[in-house]
Amino acid sequence: MLDPAPHLSTDDAISDVDIFDHIGINNRKRIAEELCNKLRKAIISGKLPEGYIFPNENDLCKKLEIGRSTLREAYAPLETLHLITRTKSGTYVNKKADTNNSMNFDLIAQYTNPINMIEYRQIFEVGAARLAAQKAKRKHITELRTIVEAMERCGDAPEQLTELDFDFHFKLVAISANELLIISFNSIRLLYEKFVKQQFEKHMLPQSLVDHRALIEALVAGDPDQAGRLMTEHLEHIAKVARTSLPRSRATGD
């Protein structure tokens, strides 16, 4: 049985300008996706606080000039992410404890802004590369070189390159033998592959091969500082290409 909508106190209420007055739909062909992303960001940022009760569906559809089926399509992923609950009496924002949980991480990752992916990798993978340089054994080096050789043979095949690229970076994380790092990185695989495929479509392979080989040599030398620096440079090469294809607001994280 669903719990009733939690009470929204006067202190928490949005009393000045309603959040929906600021939601503009820019891409009319992808209305549901855009609305979902705007609402998700508003909930995660706290602009729509826990317990916030959404306007009546008919009123909201009229305000946003959309159909009820479009609104429900936008709501569906938010329900999957446990960000909102829909009942016969209305739709409301869930408690933070229900939305910010580890089991929800992989789902959130699928909908996150690409800039978050860039930042996540820059923070996460530099540390993972440093650990890998400290723990890598001969068999790990061989496995990494095999992946790079397979990438080289692929030529210009973005889908295959994307899978191999993930295998390379996942192997670096796996070398750490830290199960928390392994689970965390594996949980972003879908977004990772979607993100990286776009880079390989822009001919990132030559630079990736150079960067990967340099990282392997840092592991051979057992030099964590060098591995960290090289991973930082590698991810910046990727980010530079990625940002050229993002709208200005998404490229800056606004």
Side-chain angles (χ1 to χ4, degrees):
M1 181 176 180
L2 292 172
D3 294 331
H7 176 68
L8 185 63
S9 68
T10 303
D11 292 338
D12 293 331
I14 301 176
S15 57
D16 47 354
V17 180
D18 192 280
I19 183 70
F20 294 98
D21 285 335
H22 295 288
I23 292 183
I25 306 300
N26 299 315
N27 189 339
R28 304 306 296 186
K29 293 182 179 180
R30 301 171 63 183
I31 298 175
E33 179 182 351
E34 187 171 343
L35 178 58
C36 174
N37 287 335
K38 288 178 182 290
L39 292 177
R40 182 188 60 80
K41 185 175 181 179
I43 293 170
I44 292 175
S45 69
K47 289 182 180 178
L48 289 180
E50 63 180 53
Y52 175 82
I53 301 174
F54 285 75
N56 172 275
E57 283 194 6
N58 288 332
D59 294 339
L60 187 54
C61 287
K62 185 176 180 180
K63 185 182 187 70
L64 298 176
E65 299 181 341
I66 60 175
R68 292 185 69 180
S69 61
T70 300
L71 180 61
R72 291 172 179 175
E73 186 180 346
Y75 278 162
L78 301 178
E79 283 190 281
T80 301
L81 293 170
H82 307 298
L83 294 175
I84 66 172
T85 292
R86 298 180 64 211
T87 69
K88 291 182 179 179
S89 59
T91 300
Y92 62 88
V93 176
N94 288 338
K95 295 178 181 179
K96 289 290 185 183
D98 296 328
T99 61
N100 296 340
N101 65 80
S102 59
M103 295 300 291
N104 213 20
F105 181 85
D106 57 338
L107 289 171
I108 291 174
Q110 293 179 41
Y111 294 94
T112 195
N113 189 312
I115 196 69
N116 291 335
M117 179 64 170
I118 293 172
E119 293 171 348
Y120 172 89
R121 294 191 65 187
Q122 288 173 331
I123 294 169
F124 183 96
E125 290 195 66
V126 171
R130 291 178 60 86
L131 270 178
Q134 296 173 49
K135 298 185 177 183
K137 301 183 183 304
R138 184 176 296 177
K139 67 175 183 177
H140 298 139
I141 302 299
T142 300
E143 290 167 348
L144 289 169
R145 283 176 172 158
T146 298
I147 294 172
V148 171
E149 290 167 1
M151 291 180 72
E152 192 170 26
R153 289 195 299 272
C154 275
D156 194 14
E159 289 188 5
Q160 290 176 276
L161 288 171
T162 298
E163 292 180 7
L164 289 167
D165 185 79
F166 181 85
D167 289 345
F168 181 90
H169 286 266
F170 184 72
K171 174 58 67 176
L172 287 175
V173 175
I175 291 171
S176 74
N178 185 310
E179 62 182 11
L180 296 179
L181 297 180
I182 293 169
I183 292 171
S184 174
F185 194 68
N186 195 47
S187 69
I188 66 164
R189 179 165 192 155
L190 289 177
L191 178 63
Y192 179 105
E193 292 186 342
K194 177 182 178 181
F195 176 82
V196 171
K197 182 182 176 184
Q198 294 173 349
Q199 313 322 311
F200 282 121
E201 288 172 344
K202 296 178 181 179
H203 312 294
M204 265 293 294
L205 177 58
Q207 185 64 62
S208 290
L209 291 174
V210 171
D211 293 349
H212 286 181
R213 290 193 182 102
L215 279 163
I216 291 174
E217 293 309 309
L219 266 62
V220 171
D223 188 338
D225 292 336
Q226 179 70 352
R229 284 193 295 271
L230 289 169
M231 181 60 79
T232 298
E233 292 175 5
H234 174 52
L235 295 176
E236 187 51 44
H237 292 154
I238 295 172
K240 185 177 181 180
V241 174
R243 288 190 178 100
T244 62
S245 61
L246 293 176
R248 186 178 182 280
S249 61
R250 300 185 84 184
T252 59
D254 295 337

